[in-house]
Amino acid sequence: MNEAALLEFIRGHIASGNGAEPLYRQVEMALAEAIHSSRLKRGAVIPSERTLCAALSMSRVTIRRAIEDLEADGLLHRRHGAKTVVSSRLEKSLSTMTSFSEDMRSRGLEPGCIWISKETGRPSPTEMMALGISVADEVARLRRIRTADNTPIAIETATLPLRFLPRPAEVGDSLYKALEARGAMPVRAVQRMQSTPITPEESRLLEAPPQTSLLVMERRCFLEDGQIVEFTETKYRGDVYDFVIELHR
């Protein structure tokens, strides 16, 4: 969306909205809607405060308040040199069990993947512990780079007992679709999160700076009858991904 189209969208959103809201709040809601609907993409530069003031016939104080609130919410980021851009950070809730693709589509982003390998083999000690299997069992192991709007976001390694996925090479873009087709769709999961430094190989795969930290999510997924169907380790870029937990008292 170019600047003229964005300004027209903001004016239209304000005109059709709740006039009882303070002006800064009306601008804030219009910009938030433009971001959530992907009219404004991640990293896009929004018009300057001066431009917004002139186009919307509002004071600098009003516009600045709207931008500051959006910045506090993590939707906007003010760069050095006074440019304000749509935040490139992504959020994932830890309160619900969703796939990477579902997370990305809920944010108006197009999920994708770059396959690294699809193989079968013997489990590692970590995989044996996580899946509750022995060294004699075979596993399917899927490794891929997960992307959002073609930007590398995470490296994912999914390991499953071979009885649930005997032909891993046939998995397309969605592992869960393949599991659902076999009647092995997970219904609950246990997750553990930690941080770790990035390796040179991971930096190359994720196109991330060498000083980037990774947020590592380990997830064990269960069937209705309690069988462990999947162990997945996902390494997210810490510079673009946040985890969010909603708490209730």
Side-chain angles (χ1 to χ4, degrees):
M1 176 178 279
N2 60 34
E3 184 174 288
L6 175 61
L7 293 172
E8 185 61 31
F9 174 82
I10 295 173
R11 282 192 288 263
H13 193 279
I14 291 173
S16 62
N18 182 1
E21 292 279 0
L23 287 177
Y24 78 86
R25 179 64 178 153
Q26 295 180 47
V27 176
E28 181 183 336
M29 289 189 295
L31 284 169
E33 174 59 25
I35 294 169
H36 289 309
S37 64
S38 294
R39 290 177 172 84
L40 277 175
K41 299 290 187 180
R42 291 181 297 115
V45 179
I46 70 166
S48 67
E49 290 181 6
R50 184 188 299 275
T51 299
L52 289 169
C53 290
L56 303 176
S57 301
M58 295 182 186
S59 70
R60 181 70 68 92
V61 172
T62 297
I63 298 300
R64 183 166 296 169
R65 173 68 185 275
I67 291 175
E68 286 176 348
D69 283 358
L70 290 169
E71 191 174 12
D73 289 340
L75 293 178
L76 295 179
H77 173 64
R78 198 183 300 269
R79 287 180 174 170
H80 180 68
K83 284 186 177 180
T84 301
V85 301
V86 178
S87 177
S88 60
R89 299 192 70 86
L90 300 170
E91 292 185 352
K92 175 176 175 58
S93 172
L94 296 181
S95 62
T96 55
M97 183 178 168
T98 56
S99 69
F100 180 91
S101 296
E102 290 169 334
D103 288 339
M104 294 305 102
R105 290 196 176 101
S106 71
R107 290 156 179 79
L109 304 172
E110 184 58 34
C113 76
I114 302 168
W115 284 105
I116 300 173
S117 61
K118 305 176 186 179
E119 60 187 17
T120 62
R122 298 298 181 187
S124 69
T126 298
E127 291 167 339
M128 285 190 290
M129 291 285 292
L131 294 170
I133 57 178
S134 73
V135 69
D137 292 315
E138 284 194 286
V139 296
R141 191 178 296 110
L142 308 174
R143 191 163 184 251
R144 55 184 165 171
I145 301 168
R146 307 308 304 262
T147 65
D149 283 353
N150 297 316
T151 299
I153 299 297
I155 301 171
E156 179 184 273
T157 303
T159 308
L160 306 90
L162 199 60
R163 66 182 183 276
F164 294 122
L165 193 69
R167 293 180 295 277
E170 296 179 2
V171 174
D173 289 341
S174 174
L175 170 60
Y176 279 10
K177 280 186 179 179
L179 291 178
E180 186 175 23
R182 293 186 57 82
M185 187 67 169
V187 297
R188 69 181 182 90
V190 176
Q191 298 187 138
R192 183 169 71 98
M193 185 171 63
Q194 59 185 321
S195 65
T196 185
I198 198 170
T199 67
E201 174 67 5
E202 290 163 346
S203 176
R204 181 185 67 81
L205 292 174
L206 291 174
E207 302 175 11
Q211 69 274 17
T212 302
S213 293
L214 296 177
L215 298 172
V216 183
M217 178 69 71
E218 292 181 352
R219 179 158 78 173
R220 291 194 304 154
C221 296
F222 299 81
L223 299 181
E224 190 71 47
D225 62 6
Q227 292 186 80
I228 304 172
V229 64
E230 174 196 359
F231 170 63
T232 294
E233 179 190 68
T234 309
K235 298 182 176 182
Y236 296 90
R237 284 182 54 169
D239 59 337
V240 299
Y241 219 92
D242 289 325
F243 289 94
V244 178
I245 305 174
E246 182 177 351
L247 303 175
H248 297 274
R249 195 182 190 103

